[in-house]
Amino acid sequence: MNRDLLRDRPRVRPDDRPRDVPGDRRRDLVRDLAAALAAALLVLVAVLVGDAVQHRDHSLFVGWPPVFAQWEPHVGPGTPAALAVAVAVVAYGPALAARLPWRALLFTAWGTAMAWTFSLALVDGWQRGIAGRLTTTNEYLTVIDRFHDIPATLRDFTHHILSHSPAPWPAHIAGHPPAATVTFVLLDRIGLGGGAWAGVWCITVGATAATAVLVTVRALAGEELARRAAPYLVLAPAAVWMGTSADGYFAAVAAWSVAFLALAVTGNRPRSAGLASGLLFGLTAYLSYGLTLFAVIAAAALLLGHRRLRPLPYVVAGLAVVPLVFTLLGFNWWEAYHLLITRYYEGVGGTRPYAYWVWANLACTALIVGPATVVGLRRSGAASARPELRDLRGGFRTAAPEPRLALLVFAALLALLVADLSGMSKAETERIWLPFAMWLLPACAFLPRPRAWLTAQAVLALLLNHLLLTGW
């Protein structure tokens, strides 16, 4: 393991932050509230317009537009635990994030993110919230028996993508490269079969995404900003969909690919970190076609690194491994992707109106990242206008930490917007965009009064999970 990942550095005191004058604070507060209100209005309009469209022609194919969910107020065994985790993070999260040794902070963030995700999932109960999520009609576990001969199945994979093909794959299997399904096949082979193990796998691995983002922010923008972002990464409303969906697992793999790249371009071990980054980037592309857009976030990491060229050969070498293995086993990524486009428009993707989803998707994004992130993005824009960023003669490497973090966050936002404009992400973006959403959350490092904003994040997540029955 790269030692830079766990190495302790001098801890940051909350009082070390620069202070502004009262007039500036008031103006910023008004702008912050305006940004949060604009996001709330976007969600409200998406709900009202979506309800009208759904009642008119039933073309949205979601139960509670714009979210893939049903209105079902409920409580469950996870409710007390979720409340306890939320209160603990709001009360003690910012102080602990500022004072814990770095290594302890990473493991604490992972453990707390797991606790938050598990407790939210258990609001729906063990079977409905975790064990049964990946066993439904369109999910991965329904085709485990068809992978008894993995190489033969991979050679035949593209023949079952189209809806009218013989024995077509269920939606999620057809909609992803086979590494997603093969993951659960391999879990089954080692004795961890069934929905319960699959759910635990997705939550446990998915929770490490928060740790990976912390490692990246520290490497590229400094430890202080990483520490300030930590409580928001742990208490994200996105956890409602991280438990349980395979996209939480995808989010973690993609996040670690960027984290190792950040370590490779800033640390002392470009070989091992570069190889690990490339290997995970390759796996990411074979877990989800859309996550090839993580190249945008990777480009931002390269721009911010001071050793851009040295690790690249190792990144490329690692990147070739997974595609080479799947190609040799008979799976053609490009052919499958073009067949998927046809399958997408054969189904509800061809019926769902682009004119609604192209902006309603952004309302879904506002829900999964929460009001704090929306306000943090506004403040990121202000940080990117700092004088340090205007003089780029030394490159982005010489910019102050705040503009560097802003560049990373806006790279993720750009990738998300490209996915939105593509038309291949109509609805279900609260699940599909989890990998991108994790990289918007560090924008919360720019926020003052962390307890107030953390409370807003927790309340939103609890309301979503207790009022709606999500589909994933």
Side-chain angles (χ1 to χ4, degrees), residues 350-387:
T351 304
R352 284 172 170 161
Y354 181 86
Y356 172 77
W357 288 111
V358 72
W359 58 271
N361 285 341
L362 301 181
C364 292
T365 304
L367 287 174
I368 64 176
V369 300
T373 307
V374 173
V375 174
L377 288 171
R378 186 204 72 78
R379 288 187 172 247
S380 297
S384 66
R386 288 171 58 112

Side-chain angles (χ1 to χ4, degrees), residues 75-86 119 122-123 466:
V75 296
T79 299
L83 290 170
V85 173
S119 61
L122 288 171
V123 169
H466 285 84

Side-chain angles (χ1 to χ4, degrees), residues 198-235:
V200 169
W201 165 267
C202 289
I203 293 176
T204 303
V205 175
T208 68
T211 305
V213 175
L214 285 178
V215 169
T216 306
V217 173
R218 185 203 196 205
L220 298 178
E223 186 170 320
E224 180 184 357
L225 289 174
R227 289 179 177 274
R228 285 159 59 178
Y232 297 98
L233 284 160
V234 165
L235 206 63

Side-chain angles (χ1 to χ4, degrees), residues 64 67 69-76 79 120 123-124 128 240 459-470:
W64 197 82
V67 179
Q70 296 176 348
W71 178 262
E72 187 176 320
H74 62 289
V75 296
T79 299
L120 288 173
V123 169
D124 297 337
R128 190 167 69 169
V240 172
V459 168
L460 175 61
L462 291 168
L463 285 175
L464 286 170
N465 212 68
H466 285 84
L467 295 178
L468 300 176
L469 180 64
T470 59

Side-chain angles (χ1 to χ4, degrees), residues 34 37 39 47 74 91 118 126 142 156 231 243-244 275 354 360 363 393-394 401 422:
L37 179 60
V47 171
H74 62 289
F118 267 115
W126 172 258
T142 60
D156 196 45
T244 304
L275 282 169
Y354 181 86
R393 286 173 295 182
S422 74

